[in-house]
Amino acid sequence: MRLFTLTFKIFIGFVACAIVAELILSLFPVATGFQRDTENFPIRHWKPDSNYVYSNGWNFRNAQKGSTNNYGFSNVKDYTKNGAEILLIGDSYFEAQQVSRGNTIEDVIQKLSNKNTYTISVSGSALPDYIKYLEYGLKEFNPKQVVVKIFDADLVGAFTTEYPMGSYFVQTENSFILKTTEANLTNFKMKNFFKKSSLLRYCLINLKILEQIKLAFDFTDEDESIEPDLELLTKKLKVYLSVKFKELNLDKKSVLILTNHETLFTNLATDGFNVLNIEKALSKIEDNTDYSMNFAPYDYHWNFRGHFKAGQAVNRALQGM
Amino acid sequence: MLFNAPIFLFVFLPIVVAIYYLLNSISKNVLIGKVWLILGSLFFYGYFNPSYLVLILGSLVFNFIIGQYLGKKTGNKPVLYLGVISNLLLLGYYKYFDFFIVNINQLTGSDFALQRLILPLAISFFTFQQISFLVDAYKGKCKEQDFLDYSLFVTFFPQLIAGPIVHHSEMMPQFAESKNQSFHYNNFIHGIIIFVIGLGKKVIIADALAQYADPVFNAADAGAKLGFIEGWLGSLAYTFQIYFDFSGYCDMAIGVALLFNIVLPINFNSPYKSANIQVFWRNWHMTLSRWMRDYIYIPLGGGRCSEKRVLLNVFATAFISGIWHGAGWNFVLWGTFHGGALIIHRLWSKLNRPLPKWLGIFITFMFVHVAWVFFRAVSFAGAIEIVKSMFSIENLSTPKFIEYYQTATDLFVAPKYFESIQGLYWVVIAVIISFAGIWSMDLAQKFLKYKKNPYFLGSLLFLFLFIGFISMGSKYSAFIYFNF
């Protein structure tokens, strides 16, 4: 009984300290992540018209505030049906939580091209999700030009089934088959509920504690991990995209594929595909300007300068198409 | 293994402590507990690179044998020289060989190949500790017959990697004390409190400051031109980064040792509050200063010779302390600066015109601060650029941080080296804590009053986990002194 009382008192001390931490953290820009939408929707997206805070690391670096629009994508402007002239499809790179609104690649392209530019980009997406976004975006927004981000990580991560409501590829001999997992709305509700706590958000989003635990206790030898055959995957992707574009009645010439990898670039830049190696384009701008810091420190996404330069490069490529 | 790594915090430390007391409680033979501690310490040391174990074990065996000879027959100078010179050669080979070759090549135009040796972890610390053992054995101040005891003295993991540099005579009686073999609640809680304070200093303050010091020093080393404000903020960020990094490490080492009922010597005592450079060195890395005094300054003659010779001894000691920190001209310069400052202090003291305390603190801090620039910068040109920027008033302009450029129209004008205005806030926090804060040991004593309060224990557990999580989230950088 004495042990029970002692343990209980220790627990109360622990909880009291956690409550103090909760209160203190609520004064700081703890990352909120996005609210998940608990209504059914054809593709992954966030809760429409909700606010979010982005900050990186334990000391809230690069704090940014933003909101989602009427379709549930991170954007200050609402979308209208058939309203896009240029549609960007991608993940966190295009979603751009890391930069202030007005400085994202989408904003830069819109400013430079003077064309209505939309983006369907959700962090944590990979290539199979982009295909779903493409199907949806073409039907809903009827753009004249489309930019799809396909970095090596998008292709390598195309086979994972772990994302909620995410799509994934299954490989066949020559191509891929697209599959989608169903949305678990109860799980979404639970996540939204837990996100109300600053302390939990701090541990899970700012500190990325689950990923860190996994990393800290992962003793697999890096040399033993199997390198994916990017060459073969790219060949299969080309077959898949050719069929998909035909199926969607999409002219290859109106699509710009944005990549960061030479293998992807050389294999895709044939048969009428427009491909831009953004890494090379950024280096070229760097050579002319002597500025090389394109990434947010400790975050590995483009910073405002990266977005500005990438927007310039993409706009130039779109004009030449 | 790092004190702030999750594998240490949540796996290694709890297991080693729990099994140590378990073994001591089930066996009357203290040997088993000692063997367990030595094995744990060797695992701790070899965690990153097991090949280093060969080196430390070789060094252990060699010095133990030499120590045996010295203990048997007092006044055996050749054996002492053999031991000391062998230790210095080992240290010199790993630490200074490439530096020596680079300079020979530059001076003579020769093309001797560099060895590109990776400095074995803690070599400077365990070498110095063992040299002091040999000298003490030669003087008959200590005697060690037991190889296990000797191994524990050198490898005891709380002090192995970056000190404190301990004497055989202050450690071994503690290991031999039978009451230290059993669990002591008071020491345990005291240890945890000091450890949590140290972990907080390292993870929350030092690592935060590093994020603002590193870009400025990297930019200067890469040839960028810095402004007045950037120069000052970058250098101040480093001055406080190294302070909290080393102070945090020392607290953590003392805290971990206390979990085993071992009291390590105090190694850090609010050095930036020092009113002169001599007091600074009495409070910064105190056990290294003690080692330098006992094994360099005093054997050179200390203060009991002509004034000129005393000044030379003072300078030589500071100079050796400088190059002990690393092989590079920057460290040579840093040691020279401190040697010069100690000489000036000694000469000033003779005039019998003491400065007001606040002025003494200000001058000492400013000197130490500027000297740290040379200590931190990789290149001499980088150090000069930073110092130049600090003293060029014509460069004075309103500081523009990344927050400013994010809303600017011309995005290409943003500098590469200064990240965020948050760096300025961190420097201010660090200044307040270092000059107006309570010394960790006093702070721990204040908290220790609540050691039997279960609510306090719950809070302590929360803080331990929370700061441990922050350490994980901030990618737990290595301690600066691990490089020496």
Side-chain angles (χ1 to χ4, degrees), chain B residues 181-320:
Chain B
Q181 317 296 327
S182 51
F183 180 80
H184 283 263
Y185 180 77
N186 195 55
N187 284 344
F188 188 81
I189 296 297
H190 197 184
I192 297 277
I193 295 170
I194 296 176
F195 184 83
V196 169
I197 292 172
L199 187 62
K201 280 183 187 174
K202 163 68 181 162
V203 170
I204 295 177
I205 306 177
D207 285 357
L209 287 163
Q211 291 165 11
Y212 304 102
D214 289 350
V216 175
F217 278 90
N218 292 345
D221 282 324
K225 295 273 167 255
L226 298 177
F228 179 82
I229 303 283
E230 286 126 12
W232 274 96
L233 283 181
S235 56
L236 280 171
Y238 182 70
T239 294
F240 289 104
Q241 180 203 344
I242 193 168
Y243 176 96
F244 284 99
D245 190 285
F246 190 48
S247 159
Y249 168 80
C250 293
D251 291 348
M252 289 159 90
I254 289 172
V256 175
L258 265 177
L259 301 182
F260 299 95
N261 301 314
I262 300 295
V263 180
L264 290 181
I266 302 291
N267 210 17
F268 203 87
N269 186 5
S270 308
Y272 288 167
K273 290 179 190 168
S274 306
N276 63 57
I277 194 69
Q278 194 180 20
V279 177
F280 171 82
W281 275 109
R282 278 191 205 135
N283 293 314
W284 179 282
H285 207 333
M286 293 154 80
T287 56
L288 176 69
S289 301
R290 181 180 68 174
W291 195 97
M292 290 286 169
R293 183 198 63 203
D294 292 349
Y295 301 101
I296 293 178
Y297 179 70
I298 292 174
L300 284 173
R304 294 182 178 181
C305 32
S306 70
E307 186 55 25
K308 263 188 192 164
R309 182 60 200 255
V310 172
L311 294 179
L312 189 69
N313 294 346
V314 167
F315 183 82
T317 310
F319 182 81
I320 291 168

Side-chain angles (χ1 to χ4, degrees), chain B residues 79-138:
Chain B
V79 177
L80 174 70
Y81 286 150
L82 172 73
V84 173
I85 290 169
S86 305
N87 276 298
L88 290 177
L89 281 177
L90 181 78
L91 182 63
Y93 175 67
Y94 278 103
K95 202 161 177 172
Y96 305 104
F97 187 81
D98 277 355
F99 176 64
F100 181 71
I101 293 293
V102 165
N103 285 291
I104 289 283
N105 284 346
Q106 271 179 1
L107 273 175
T108 62
S110 55
D111 192 23
F112 293 116
L114 297 178
Q115 295 286 307
R116 303 204 184 281
L117 298 162
I118 297 168
L119 186 70
L121 215 54
I123 190 168
S124 309
F125 289 90
F126 68 71
T127 304
F128 268 34
Q129 197 157 311
Q130 294 188 101
I131 288 176
S132 69
F133 166 74
L134 297 183
V135 175
D136 289 353
Y138 168 79

Side-chain angles (χ1 to χ4, degrees), chain B residues 401-478:
Chain B
F401 300 98
I402 216 81
E403 287 85 356
Y404 167 83
Y405 292 103
Q406 281 188 333
T407 53
T409 42
D410 185 2
L411 298 167
F412 286 135
V413 298
K416 302 168 190 177
Y417 40 83
F418 222 88
E419 190 199 343
S420 166
I421 196 159
Q422 286 185 17
L424 181 64
Y425 305 152
W426 280 109
V427 168
V428 172
I429 291 169
V431 169
I432 293 169
I433 298 175
S434 359
F435 286 99
I438 307 171
W439 186 38
S440 328
M441 298 303 139
D442 291 340
L443 191 63
Q445 279 298 338
K446 282 183 198 291
F447 284 124
L448 197 60
K449 285 181 205 155
Y450 307 105
K451 67 185 178 213
K452 289 204 172 143
N453 182 330
Y455 302 115
F456 171 73
L457 295 182
S459 309
L460 190 62
L461 179 64
F462 177 85
L463 278 177
F464 178 80
L465 287 175
F466 188 63
I467 301 177
F469 281 175
I470 291 178
S471 178
M472 287 171 91
S474 62
K475 312 263 161 57
Y476 47 98
S477 64

Side-chain angles (χ1 to χ4, degrees), chain A residues 56-122:
Chain A
N56 174 256
W58 69 273
N59 54 349
F60 322 104
R61 284 179 303 246
N62 191 23
Q64 305 284 345
K65 279 182 183 170
S67 59
T68 58
N69 64 10
N70 56 335
Y71 275 76
F73 302 114
S74 168
N75 214 310
V76 280
K77 68 175 181 237
D78 281 340
Y79 294 168
T80 50
K81 195 166 167 70
N82 299 325
E85 290 172 276
I86 299 169
L87 177 66
L88 308 183
I89 287 173
D91 60 355
S92 50
Y93 269 77
F94 288 176
E95 193 178 49
Q97 288 182 75
Q98 294 77 11
V99 295
S100 54
R101 302 295 95 182
N103 283 334
T104 67
I105 183 171
E106 176 207 333
D107 297 317
V108 175
I109 294 170
Q110 172 141 347
K111 261 182 234 162
L112 294 174
S113 68
N114 214 10
K115 287 178 181 167
N116 234 359
T117 308
Y118 287 4
T119 174
I120 302 181
S121 301
V122 178

Side-chain angles (χ1 to χ4, degrees), chain B residues 350-398:
Chain B
K350 298 265 174 214
L351 297 177
N352 220 0
R353 291 173 64 182
L355 293 172
K357 196 177 176 194
W358 67 267
L359 187 59
I361 293 174
F362 179 76
I363 292 173
T364 308
F365 175 78
M366 280 305 163
F367 165 75
V368 169
H369 167 219
V370 174
W372 282 135
V373 173
F374 290 86
F375 187 89
R376 165 63 178 81
V378 176
S379 67
F380 182 68
I384 291 294
E385 174 55 35
I386 292 179
V387 174
K388 232 167 72 183
S389 71
M390 289 162 67
F391 294 99
S392 305
I393 300 291
E394 65 267 26
N395 278 340
L396 186 58
S397 59
T398 315

